[in-house]
Amino acid sequence: MKLPKTHAWRPFARLLRRLLALLAGRWRLVHAFKGPAPAGPCVYVVHHQNLAGPVAALALLPGEPHPWVLHPFLERRACFGQYYGYTFTKRFGWPRLLALPAAALGAALVPPLIRGFGGIPVYRAAQKRPGDGRLRQTWQLSRRALGRGESLVICPDLAYDSPAAHTGALYQGFLALGRDYQRRRAEPLPFVPAVCDKAGRRLLLGEPVFLEPGRPLAQQKAQAAALLASRLNGLAALSAEGGGPVGVLPGEPGGLSPAPDGAA
């Protein structure tokens, strides 16, 4: 199983990533805890904040990590349905006459661009059909990316459209990647919390969270999710207080590190 085809959009996505970093100007990627940053692949657990989090992550995180993306945004027809049936008409309240061309344009541009970013499709429970292999696809693509030494970006907020700095309830299913990685690589998988500090123009990275082997997976996931939420909210509090960084991760100005040629 391979990542979705990127066609000719991969170089454009890389250019857009660099443009995002340039537009971010003096934004920084900040290592906001004492201790070393993960040296290998990890899962960046990003507070969504109504797109602020994933946009900052794509611009500032090193190594071109693969974002988990809701599947309609990787499929043209489904993307049109998402934009026309919900985003523009119900969420934004646009008249259908205006929403129709906007949805058509978005459906033409967004899926190939997200594939260019190496996006991995994710399906909600209501969008999965028994036996269709969709959950397995997300799992396999994620395992293979981690196995190649590449990281993931996951925004597990239930209230993804909330712009609030505070993190509420989180989905927990993605945390099972930690147990699988531990079994295959005999080392823990770091889950790194990240919060976009818009006022301070920073993407704050918190102390990694790890699963604790030897306990039932459901307990491991619940404990890790609670700890991630706590650390995400700690980063949000640091942002609100205007706290100074503990250290700034290396990279180009703006925090973007160039990926080597051929990186996925």
Side-chain angles (χ1 to χ4, degrees):
M1 186 177 298
K2 298 180 180 179
L3 287 170
K5 294 181 179 179
T6 60
H7 304 288
W9 286 69
R10 187 61 170 166
F12 181 76
R14 285 176 169 166
L15 175 61
L16 181 58
R17 190 189 298 270
R18 283 155 176 77
L19 287 175
L20 285 173
L22 289 174
L23 290 173
R26 298 177 64 184
W27 278 70
R28 296 170 296 157
L29 182 63
V30 173
H31 178 192
F33 72 98
K34 295 180 180 179
C42 64
V43 175
Y44 294 103
V45 182
V46 181
H47 180 29
H48 201 288
Q49 291 175 274
N50 199 22
L51 275 181
V55 169
L58 286 175
L60 300 173
L61 289 174
E64 297 187 354
H66 296 275
W68 272 22
V69 183
L70 194 62
H71 90 278
F73 298 107
L74 287 96
E75 304 167 8
R76 184 169 182 173
R77 181 177 296 181
C79 186
F80 176 82
Q82 177 78 14
Y83 281 143
Y84 185 66
Y86 173 71
T87 303
F88 293 135
T89 52
K90 294 182 179 179
R91 185 177 173 191
F92 295 160
W94 291 9
R96 292 189 175 274
L97 190 62
L98 182 60
L100 182 62
L105 180 62
L109 297 178
V110 171
L113 181 59
I114 296 299
R115 292 196 297 269
F117 277 117
I120 294 175
V122 177
Y123 300 85
R124 291 175 177 163
Q127 297 163 336
K128 292 180 290 194
R129 299 185 296 272
D132 69 359
R134 294 185 173 189
L135 179 60
R136 180 176 176 80
Q137 180 191 40
T138 303
W139 187 262
Q140 292 292 345
L141 294 177
S142 301
R143 292 176 80 235
R144 293 190 179 189
L146 292 169
R148 292 193 300 267
E150 300 158 2
S151 297
L152 307 176
V153 171
I154 297 178
C155 301
D157 308 71
L158 268 67
Y160 69 91
D161 56 350
S162 171
H166 176 80
T167 298
L170 302 175
Y171 290 107
Q172 298 181 16
F174 71 96
L175 290 162
L177 288 167
R179 186 174 72 170
D180 177 77
Y181 189 87
Q182 175 79 38
R183 286 175 173 175
R184 291 186 298 116
R185 303 293 293 270
E187 59 185 51
L189 176 65
F191 292 90
V192 181
V195 168
C196 176
D197 174 12
K198 290 180 280 189
R201 300 174 69 86
R202 305 176 295 178
L203 181 65
L204 301 172
L205 300 184
E207 183 177 356
V209 171
F210 302 90
L211 295 188
E212 292 189 5
R215 304 176 61 191
L217 181 59
Q219 293 182 14
Q220 294 183 51
K221 292 194 298 182
Q223 181 179 16
L227 189 53
L228 279 167
S230 175
R231 290 182 180 174
L232 286 166
N233 286 323
L235 292 173
L238 179 67
S239 169
E241 296 168 1
V246 174
V248 179
L249 294 178
E252 295 179 348
L256 180 66
S257 296
D261 291 340

